[in-house]
PDB file of all heavy atoms in Angstrom:
ATOM      1  N   LEU A  77      36.926  28.458  19.905  1.00 81.00           N
ATOM      2  CA  LEU A  77      35.583  28.190  20.500  1.00 81.00           C
ATOM      3  C   LEU A  77      34.801  27.212  19.606  1.00 81.00           C
ATOM      4  O   LEU A  77      34.100  26.345  20.155  1.00 81.00           O
ATOM      5  CB  LEU A  77      34.814  29.483  20.675  1.00 81.00           C
ATOM      6  CG  LEU A  77      35.241  30.344  21.880  1.00 81.00           C
ATOM      7  CD1 LEU A  77      34.462  31.636  21.882  1.00 81.00           C
ATOM      8  CD2 LEU A  77      34.988  29.614  23.169  1.00 81.00           C
ATOM      9  N   SER A  78      34.915  27.364  18.311  1.00 78.00           N
ATOM     10  CA  SER A  78      34.129  26.453  17.431  1.00 78.00           C
ATOM     11  C   SER A  78      34.671  25.027  17.527  1.00 78.00           C
ATOM     12  O   SER A  78      33.898  24.062  17.471  1.00 78.00           O
ATOM     13  CB  SER A  78      34.096  26.971  15.985  1.00 78.00           C
ATOM     14  OG  SER A  78      35.408  27.102  15.516  1.00 78.00           O
ATOM     15  N   VAL A  79      35.945  24.892  17.706  1.00 79.00           N
ATOM     16  CA  VAL A  79      36.529  23.536  17.857  1.00 79.00           C
ATOM     17  C   VAL A  79      36.128  22.943  19.251  1.00 79.00           C
ATOM     18  O   VAL A  79      35.626  21.814  19.319  1.00 79.00           O
ATOM     19  CB  VAL A  79      38.096  23.590  17.780  1.00 79.00           C
ATOM     20  CG1 VAL A  79      38.684  22.265  18.182  1.00 79.00           C
ATOM     21  CG2 VAL A  79      38.481  23.916  16.296  1.00 79.00           C
ATOM     22  N   LEU A  80      36.262  23.748  20.285  1.00 79.00           N
ATOM     23  CA  LEU A  80      35.887  23.285  21.614  1.00 79.00           C
ATOM     24  C   LEU A  80      34.432  22.931  21.731  1.00 79.00           C
ATOM     25  O   LEU A  80      34.012  21.935  22.334  1.00 79.00           O
ATOM     26  CB  LEU A  80      36.211  24.367  22.690  1.00 79.00           C
ATOM     27  CG  LEU A  80      37.692  24.543  22.979  1.00 79.00           C
ATOM     28  CD1 LEU A  80      37.842  25.757  23.952  1.00 79.00           C
ATOM     29  CD2 LEU A  80      38.318  23.354  23.554  1.00 79.00           C
ATOM     30  N   MET A  81      33.618  23.778  21.003  1.00 74.00           N
ATOM     31  CA  MET A  81      32.135  23.576  21.040  1.00 74.00           C
ATOM     32  C   MET A  81      31.761  22.201  20.462  1.00 74.00           C
ATOM     33  O   MET A  81      30.918  21.514  21.029  1.00 74.00           O
ATOM     34  CB  MET A  81      31.520  24.656  20.165  1.00 74.00           C
ATOM     35  CG  MET A  81      30.056  24.719  20.094  1.00 74.00           C
ATOM     36  SD  MET A  81      29.577  26.195  19.242  1.00 74.00           S
ATOM     37  CE  MET A  81      29.922  25.747  17.536  1.00 74.00           C
ATOM     38  N   THR A  82      32.446  21.752  19.393  1.00 70.00           N
ATOM     39  CA  THR A  82      32.086  20.481  18.790  1.00 70.00           C
ATOM     40  C   THR A  82      32.807  19.325  19.424  1.00 70.00           C
ATOM     41  O   THR A  82      32.281  18.228  19.425  1.00 70.00           O
ATOM     42  CB  THR A  82      32.398  20.515  17.270  1.00 70.00           C
ATOM     43  OG1 THR A  82      33.723  21.057  17.104  1.00 70.00           O
ATOM     44  CG2 THR A  82      31.416  21.320  16.474  1.00 70.00           C
ATOM     45  N   MET A  83      33.985  19.575  19.967  1.00 71.00           N
ATOM     46  CA  MET A  83      34.750  18.441  20.491  1.00 71.00           C
ATOM     47  C   MET A  83      34.481  18.146  21.967  1.00 71.00           C
ATOM     48  O   MET A  83      34.281  16.964  22.348  1.00 71.00           O
ATOM     49  CB  MET A  83      36.262  18.724  20.372  1.00 71.00           C
ATOM     50  CG  MET A  83      36.727  18.631  18.953  1.00 71.00           C
ATOM     51  SD  MET A  83      38.478  18.828  18.800  1.00 71.00           S
ATOM     52  CE  MET A  83      39.071  17.239  19.387  1.00 71.00           C
ATOM     53  N   LEU A  84      34.276  19.160  22.809  1.00 68.00           N
ATOM     54  CA  LEU A  84      34.110  18.926  24.210  1.00 68.00           C
ATOM     55  C   LEU A  84      32.657  18.497  24.554  1.00 68.00           C
ATOM     56  O   LEU A  84      32.419  17.820  25.547  1.00 68.00           O
ATOM     57  CB  LEU A  84      34.489  20.141  25.030  1.00 68.00           C
ATOM     58  CG  LEU A  84      35.947  20.482  25.162  1.00 68.00           C
ATOM     59  CD1 LEU A  84      36.137  21.657  26.082  1.00 68.00           C
ATOM     60  CD2 LEU A  84      36.730  19.275  25.643  1.00 68.00           C
ATOM     61  N   ARG A  85      31.740  18.944  23.727  1.00 66.00           N
ATOM     62  CA  ARG A  85      30.293  18.634  23.987  1.00 66.00           C
ATOM     63  C   ARG A  85      29.851  19.103  25.374  1.00 66.00           C
ATOM     64  O   ARG A  85      29.190  18.347  26.101  1.00 66.00           O
ATOM     65  CB  ARG A  85      29.992  17.165  23.738  1.00 66.00           C
ATOM     66  CG  ARG A  85      30.345  16.794  22.306  1.00 66.00           C
ATOM     67  CD  ARG A  85      29.738  15.498  21.894  1.00 66.00           C
ATOM     68  NE  ARG A  85      30.083  15.225  20.498  1.00 66.00           N
ATOM     69  CZ  ARG A  85      29.392  14.497  19.658  1.00 66.00           C
ATOM     70  NH1 ARG A  85      28.308  13.948  20.055  1.00 66.00           N
ATOM     71  NH2 ARG A  85      29.780  14.304  18.420  1.00 66.00           N
ATOM     72  N   VAL A  86      30.268  20.225  25.747  1.00 68.00           N
ATOM     73  CA  VAL A  86      29.792  20.834  27.000  1.00 68.00           C
ATOM     74  C   VAL A  86      29.048  22.148  26.571  1.00 68.00           C
ATOM     75  O   VAL A  86      29.272  22.633  25.452  1.00 68.00           O
ATOM     76  CB  VAL A  86      30.900  21.194  27.994  1.00 68.00           C
ATOM     77  CG1 VAL A  86      31.457  19.948  28.577  1.00 68.00           C
ATOM     78  CG2 VAL A  86      31.985  21.968  27.378  1.00 68.00           C
ATOM     79  N   PRO A  87      28.161  22.715  27.428  1.00 72.00           N
ATOM     80  CA  PRO A  87      27.389  23.887  27.006  1.00 72.00           C
ATOM     81  C   PRO A  87      28.277  25.031  26.463  1.00 72.00           C
ATOM     82  O   PRO A  87      29.266  25.414  27.098  1.00 72.00           O
ATOM     83  CB  PRO A  87      26.640  24.279  28.270  1.00 72.00           C
ATOM     84  CG  PRO A  87      26.555  23.020  29.069  1.00 72.00           C
ATOM     85  CD  PRO A  87      27.788  22.218  28.750  1.00 72.00           C
ATOM     86  N   VAL A  88      27.915  25.484  25.270  1.00 74.00           N
ATOM     87  CA  VAL A  88      28.698  26.525  24.605  1.00 74.00           C
ATOM     88  C   VAL A  88      28.809  27.788  25.451  1.00 74.00           C
ATOM     89  O   VAL A  88      29.874  28.404  25.553  1.00 74.00           O
ATOM     90  CB  VAL A  88      27.949  26.880  23.302  1.00 74.00           C
ATOM     91  CG1 VAL A  88      28.686  28.002  22.559  1.00 74.00           C
ATOM     92  CG2 VAL A  88      27.795  25.697  22.429  1.00 74.00           C
ATOM     93  N   ASP A  89      27.702  28.121  26.148  1.00 77.00           N
ATOM     94  CA  ASP A  89      27.657  29.323  26.949  1.00 77.00           C
ATOM     95  C   ASP A  89      28.709  29.318  28.043  1.00 77.00           C
ATOM     96  O   ASP A  89      29.330  30.310  28.341  1.00 77.00           O
ATOM     97  CB  ASP A  89      26.270  29.523  27.601  1.00 77.00           C
ATOM     98  CG  ASP A  89      25.198  29.716  26.516  1.00 77.00           C
ATOM     99  OD1 ASP A  89      25.581  29.959  25.364  1.00 77.00           O
ATOM    100  OD2 ASP A  89      24.022  29.606  26.866  1.00 77.00           O
ATOM    101  N   LEU A  90      28.933  28.135  28.660  1.00 79.00           N
ATOM    102  CA  LEU A  90      29.887  28.005  29.744  1.00 79.00           C
ATOM    103  C   LEU A  90      31.292  28.294  29.230  1.00 79.00           C
ATOM    104  O   LEU A  90      32.028  29.049  29.898  1.00 79.00           O
ATOM    105  CB  LEU A  90      29.835  26.621  30.368  1.00 79.00           C
ATOM    106  CG  LEU A  90      28.684  26.313  31.320  1.00 79.00           C
ATOM    107  CD1 LEU A  90      28.765  24.902  31.823  1.00 79.00           C
ATOM    108  CD2 LEU A  90      28.748  27.324  32.494  1.00 79.00           C
ATOM    109  N   ILE A  91      31.631  27.660  28.097  1.00 79.00           N
ATOM    110  CA  ILE A  91      33.004  27.901  27.601  1.00 79.00           C
ATOM    111  C   ILE A  91      33.166  29.366  27.213  1.00 79.00           C
ATOM    112  O   ILE A  91      34.140  29.955  27.552  1.00 79.00           O
ATOM    113  CB  ILE A  91      33.222  27.040  26.325  1.00 79.00           C
ATOM    114  CG1 ILE A  91      32.758  25.642  26.478  1.00 79.00           C
ATOM    115  CG2 ILE A  91      34.694  27.103  25.881  1.00 79.00           C
ATOM    116  CD1 ILE A  91      32.891  24.787  25.232  1.00 79.00           C
ATOM    117  N   SER A  92      32.131  29.903  26.543  1.00 79.00           N
ATOM    118  CA  SER A  92      32.212  31.270  26.069  1.00 79.00           C
ATOM    119  C   SER A  92      32.442  32.247  27.228  1.00 79.00           C
ATOM    120  O   SER A  92      33.256  33.159  27.183  1.00 79.00           O
ATOM    121  CB  SER A  92      30.962  31.687  25.349  1.00 79.00           C
ATOM    122  OG  SER A  92      30.726  30.813  24.290  1.00 79.00           O
ATOM    123  N   MET A  93      31.633  32.069  28.294  1.00 80.00           N
ATOM    124  CA  MET A  93      31.657  33.023  29.385  1.00 80.00           C
ATOM    125  C   MET A  93      32.983  32.925  30.177  1.00 80.00           C
ATOM    126  O   MET A  93      33.450  33.911  30.718  1.00 80.00           O
ATOM    127  CB  MET A  93      30.484  32.870  30.304  1.00 80.00           C
ATOM    128  CG  MET A  93      29.142  33.225  29.667  1.00 80.00           C
ATOM    129  SD  MET A  93      29.219  34.661  28.596  1.00 80.00           S
ATOM    130  CE  MET A  93      28.965  36.002  29.752  1.00 80.00           C
ATOM    131  N   SER A  94      33.583  31.739  30.148  1.00 79.00           N
ATOM    132  CA  SER A  94      34.896  31.582  30.811  1.00 79.00           C
ATOM    133  C   SER A  94      35.911  32.438  30.074  1.00 79.00           C
ATOM    134  O   SER A  94      36.715  33.170  30.637  1.00 79.00           O
ATOM    135  CB  SER A  94      35.356  30.138  30.849  1.00 79.00           C
ATOM    136  OG  SER A  94      34.342  29.369  31.321  1.00 79.00           O
ATOM    137  N   PHE A  95      35.900  32.316  28.730  1.00 81.00           N
ATOM    138  CA  PHE A  95      36.825  33.095  27.907  1.00 81.00           C
ATOM    139  C   PHE A  95      36.520  34.556  27.988  1.00 81.00           C
ATOM    140  O   PHE A  95      37.429  35.395  27.871  1.00 81.00           O
ATOM    141  CB  PHE A  95      36.815  32.599  26.481  1.00 81.00           C
ATOM    142  CG  PHE A  95      37.663  31.391  26.228  1.00 81.00           C
ATOM    143  CD1 PHE A  95      37.074  30.131  26.156  1.00 81.00           C
ATOM    144  CD2 PHE A  95      39.027  31.477  26.084  1.00 81.00           C
ATOM    145  CE1 PHE A  95      37.835  28.972  25.952  1.00 81.00           C
ATOM    146  CE2 PHE A  95      39.811  30.355  25.920  1.00 81.00           C
ATOM    147  CZ  PHE A  95      39.229  29.105  25.845  1.00 81.00           C
ATOM    148  N   PHE A  96      35.220  34.879  28.092  1.00 80.00           N
ATOM    149  CA  PHE A  96      34.794  36.300  28.129  1.00 80.00           C
ATOM    150  C   PHE A  96      35.511  37.000  29.340  1.00 80.00           C
ATOM    151  O   PHE A  96      36.055  38.062  29.200  1.00 80.00           O
ATOM    152  CB  PHE A  96      33.285  36.362  28.306  1.00 80.00           C
ATOM    153  CG  PHE A  96      32.768  37.649  28.914  1.00 80.00           C
ATOM    154  CD1 PHE A  96      32.830  38.846  28.264  1.00 80.00           C
ATOM    155  CD2 PHE A  96      32.201  37.593  30.165  1.00 80.00           C
ATOM    156  CE1 PHE A  96      32.397  40.003  28.836  1.00 80.00           C
ATOM    157  CE2 PHE A  96      31.732  38.752  30.782  1.00 80.00           C
ATOM    158  CZ  PHE A  96      31.838  39.945  30.122  1.00 80.00           C
ATOM    159  N   SER A  97      35.438  36.319  30.503  1.00 80.00           N
ATOM    160  CA  SER A  97      36.101  36.916  31.704  1.00 80.00           C
ATOM    161  C   SER A  97      37.590  37.096  31.457  1.00 80.00           C
ATOM    162  O   SER A  97      38.177  38.147  31.841  1.00 80.00           O
ATOM    163  CB  SER A  97      35.893  35.990  32.897  1.00 80.00           C
ATOM    164  OG  SER A  97      34.566  35.717  33.023  1.00 80.00           O
ATOM    165  N   LEU A  98      38.217  36.109  30.878  1.00 83.00           N
ATOM    166  CA  LEU A  98      39.628  36.146  30.578  1.00 83.00           C
ATOM    167  C   LEU A  98      39.992  37.364  29.722  1.00 83.00           C
ATOM    168  O   LEU A  98      40.907  38.148  30.026  1.00 83.00           O
ATOM    169  CB  LEU A  98      40.073  34.849  29.887  1.00 83.00           C
ATOM    170  CG  LEU A  98      41.480  34.845  29.304  1.00 83.00           C
ATOM    171  CD1 LEU A  98      42.544  34.856  30.432  1.00 83.00           C
ATOM    172  CD2 LEU A  98      41.709  33.645  28.364  1.00 83.00           C
ATOM    173  N   TYR A  99      39.221  37.532  28.622  1.00 82.00           N
ATOM    174  CA  TYR A  99      39.510  38.619  27.686  1.00 82.00           C
ATOM    175  C   TYR A  99      39.166  39.997  28.264  1.00 82.00           C
ATOM    176  O   TYR A  99      39.836  40.959  27.944  1.00 82.00           O
ATOM    177  CB  TYR A  99      38.836  38.406  26.348  1.00 82.00           C
ATOM    178  CG  TYR A  99      39.607  37.339  25.553  1.00 82.00           C
ATOM    179  CD1 TYR A  99      39.060  36.121  25.312  1.00 82.00           C
ATOM    180  CD2 TYR A  99      40.875  37.589  25.113  1.00 82.00           C
ATOM    181  CE1 TYR A  99      39.748  35.127  24.631  1.00 82.00           C
ATOM    182  CE2 TYR A  99      41.588  36.647  24.394  1.00 82.00           C
ATOM    183  CZ  TYR A  99      41.058  35.391  24.147  1.00 82.00           C
ATOM    184  OH  TYR A  99      41.739  34.467  23.452  1.00 82.00           O
ATOM    185  N   THR A 100      38.158  40.057  29.102  1.00 80.00           N
ATOM    186  CA  THR A 100      37.845  41.315  29.751  1.00 80.00           C
ATOM    187  C   THR A 100      39.034  41.743  30.697  1.00 80.00           C
ATOM    188  O   THR A 100      39.469  42.890  30.682  1.00 80.00           O
ATOM    189  CB  THR A 100      36.529  41.227  30.572  1.00 80.00           C
ATOM    190  OG1 THR A 100      35.530  40.665  29.754  1.00 80.00           O
ATOM    191  CG2 THR A 100      36.065  42.554  31.100  1.00 80.00           C
ATOM    192  N   ALA A 101      39.487  40.732  31.424  1.00 85.00           N
ATOM    193  CA  ALA A 101      40.598  40.979  32.338  1.00 85.00           C
ATOM    194  C   ALA A 101      41.841  41.436  31.508  1.00 85.00           C
ATOM    195  O   ALA A 101      42.490  42.421  31.883  1.00 85.00           O
ATOM    196  CB  ALA A 101      40.954  39.718  33.087  1.00 85.00           C
ATOM    197  N   LEU A 102      42.083  40.772  30.400  1.00 85.00           N
ATOM    198  CA  LEU A 102      43.237  41.148  29.553  1.00 85.00           C
ATOM    199  C   LEU A 102      43.054  42.572  28.985  1.00 85.00           C
ATOM    200  O   LEU A 102      44.019  43.352  28.981  1.00 85.00           O
ATOM    201  CB  LEU A 102      43.398  40.150  28.394  1.00 85.00           C
ATOM    202  CG  LEU A 102      43.975  38.781  28.719  1.00 85.00           C
ATOM    203  CD1 LEU A 102      43.938  37.873  27.503  1.00 85.00           C
ATOM    204  CD2 LEU A 102      45.395  38.946  29.237  1.00 85.00           C
ATOM    205  N   ALA A 103      41.862  42.876  28.549  1.00 81.00           N
ATOM    206  CA  ALA A 103      41.585  44.201  28.023  1.00 81.00           C
ATOM    207  C   ALA A 103      41.878  45.307  29.056  1.00 81.00           C
ATOM    208  O   ALA A 103      42.525  46.312  28.796  1.00 81.00           O
ATOM    209  CB  ALA A 103      40.145  44.319  27.525  1.00 81.00           C
ATOM    210  N   LEU A 104      41.390  45.084  30.270  1.00 82.00           N
ATOM    211  CA  LEU A 104      41.614  46.032  31.319  1.00 82.00           C
ATOM    212  C   LEU A 104      43.082  46.156  31.710  1.00 82.00           C
ATOM    213  O   LEU A 104      43.575  47.243  31.944  1.00 82.00           O
ATOM    214  CB  LEU A 104      40.766  45.657  32.606  1.00 82.00           C
ATOM    215  CG  LEU A 104      39.246  45.731  32.346  1.00 82.00           C
ATOM    216  CD1 LEU A 104      38.506  45.183  33.606  1.00 82.00           C
ATOM    217  CD2 LEU A 104      38.824  47.214  32.147  1.00 82.00           C
ATOM    218  N   LEU A 105      43.750  44.981  31.684  1.00 84.00           N
ATOM    219  CA  LEU A 105      45.178  44.974  31.963  1.00 84.00           C
ATOM    220  C   LEU A 105      45.936  45.760  30.917  1.00 84.00           C
ATOM    221  O   LEU A 105      46.867  46.561  31.246  1.00 84.00           O
ATOM    222  CB  LEU A 105      45.682  43.546  32.018  1.00 84.00           C
ATOM    223  CG  LEU A 105      47.160  43.327  32.396  1.00 84.00           C
ATOM    224  CD1 LEU A 105      47.355  43.682  33.867  1.00 84.00           C
ATOM    225  CD2 LEU A 105      47.549  41.866  32.150  1.00 84.00           C
ATOM    226  N   PHE A 106      45.611  45.545  29.684  1.00 83.00           N
ATOM    227  CA  PHE A 106      46.314  46.265  28.584  1.00 83.00           C
ATOM    228  C   PHE A 106      45.993  47.781  28.625  1.00 83.00           C
ATOM    229  O   PHE A 106      46.879  48.549  28.279  1.00 83.00           O
ATOM    230  CB  PHE A 106      45.935  45.691  27.240  1.00 83.00           C
ATOM    231  CG  PHE A 106      46.423  44.271  27.028  1.00 83.00           C
ATOM    232  CD1 PHE A 106      45.636  43.306  26.342  1.00 83.00           C
ATOM    233  CD2 PHE A 106      47.652  43.801  27.593  1.00 83.00           C
ATOM    234  CE1 PHE A 106      46.080  41.985  26.183  1.00 83.00           C
ATOM    235  CE2 PHE A 106      48.045  42.522  27.402  1.00 83.00           C
ATOM    236  CZ  PHE A 106      47.274  41.586  26.699  1.00 83.00           C
ATOM    237  N   ILE A 107      44.751  48.106  29.020  1.00 78.00           N
ATOM    238  CA  ILE A 107      44.455  49.572  29.131  1.00 78.00           C
ATOM    239  C   ILE A 107      45.345  50.135  30.218  1.00 78.00           C
ATOM    240  O   ILE A 107      45.891  51.266  30.069  1.00 78.00           O
ATOM    241  CB  ILE A 107      42.963  49.732  29.491  1.00 78.00           C
ATOM    242  CG1 ILE A 107      42.077  49.367  28.282  1.00 78.00           C
ATOM    243  CG2 ILE A 107      42.645  51.183  29.910  1.00 78.00           C
ATOM    244  CD1 ILE A 107      40.607  49.264  28.544  1.00 78.00           C
ATOM    245  N   TYR A 108      45.507  49.407  31.314  1.00 79.00           N
ATOM    246  CA  TYR A 108      46.291  49.890  32.449  1.00 79.00           C
ATOM    247  C   TYR A 108      47.778  50.070  31.969  1.00 79.00           C
ATOM    248  O   TYR A 108      48.440  50.991  32.419  1.00 79.00           O
ATOM    249  CB  TYR A 108      46.266  48.859  33.565  1.00 79.00           C
ATOM    250  CG  TYR A 108      47.166  49.151  34.736  1.00 79.00           C
ATOM    251  CD1 TYR A 108      46.854  50.190  35.627  1.00 79.00           C
ATOM    252  CD2 TYR A 108      48.308  48.394  34.930  1.00 79.00           C
ATOM    253  CE1 TYR A 108      47.675  50.435  36.716  1.00 79.00           C
ATOM    254  CE2 TYR A 108      49.156  48.649  35.949  1.00 79.00           C
ATOM    255  CZ  TYR A 108      48.870  49.688  36.883  1.00 79.00           C
ATOM    256  OH  TYR A 108      49.652  49.907  37.911  1.00 79.00           O
ATOM    257  N   LEU A 109      48.238  49.160  31.075  1.00 79.00           N
ATOM    258  CA  LEU A 109      49.606  49.229  30.623  1.00 79.00           C
ATOM    259  C   LEU A 109      49.844  50.171  29.459  1.00 79.00           C
ATOM    260  O   LEU A 109      50.960  50.398  29.031  1.00 79.00           O
ATOM    261  CB  LEU A 109      50.071  47.817  30.192  1.00 79.00           C
ATOM    262  CG  LEU A 109      50.151  46.745  31.295  1.00 79.00           C
ATOM    263  CD1 LEU A 109      50.442  45.379  30.720  1.00 79.00           C
ATOM    264  CD2 LEU A 109      51.175  47.136  32.309  1.00 79.00           C
ATOM    265  N   THR A 110      48.729  50.742  28.899  1.00 75.00           N
ATOM    266  CA  THR A 110      48.865  51.670  27.730  1.00 75.00           C
ATOM    267  C   THR A 110      49.733  52.873  28.158  1.00 75.00           C
ATOM    268  O   THR A 110      49.410  53.496  29.164  1.00 75.00           O
ATOM    269  CB  THR A 110      47.497  52.099  27.242  1.00 75.00           C
ATOM    270  OG1 THR A 110      46.683  51.006  27.016  1.00 75.00           O
ATOM    271  CG2 THR A 110      47.600  52.961  25.986  1.00 75.00           C
ATOM    272  N   PRO A 111      50.748  53.192  27.336  1.00 71.00           N
ATOM    273  CA  PRO A 111      51.579  54.336  27.661  1.00 71.00           C
ATOM    274  C   PRO A 111      50.806  55.635  27.675  1.00 71.00           C
ATOM    275  O   PRO A 111      49.831  55.797  26.965  1.00 71.00           O
ATOM    276  CB  PRO A 111      52.620  54.385  26.541  1.00 71.00           C
ATOM    277  CG  PRO A 111      52.495  53.075  25.841  1.00 71.00           C
ATOM    278  CD  PRO A 111      51.131  52.564  26.063  1.00 71.00           C
TER     279      PRO A 111
END
Side-chain angles (χ1 to χ4, degrees):
Chain A
L77 284 175
S78 57
V79 170
L80 288 177
M81 185 173 74
T82 46
M83 287 184 76
L84 288 185
R85 300 195 179 206
V86 289
V88 178
D89 296 346
L90 281 179
I91 313 175
S92 304
M93 294 319 275
S94 309
F95 279 100
F96 156 70
S97 307
L98 169 70
Y99 283 111
T100 309
L102 285 175
L104 293 172
L105 184 68
F106 294 143
I107 290 170
Y108 175 75
L109 294 173
T110 305

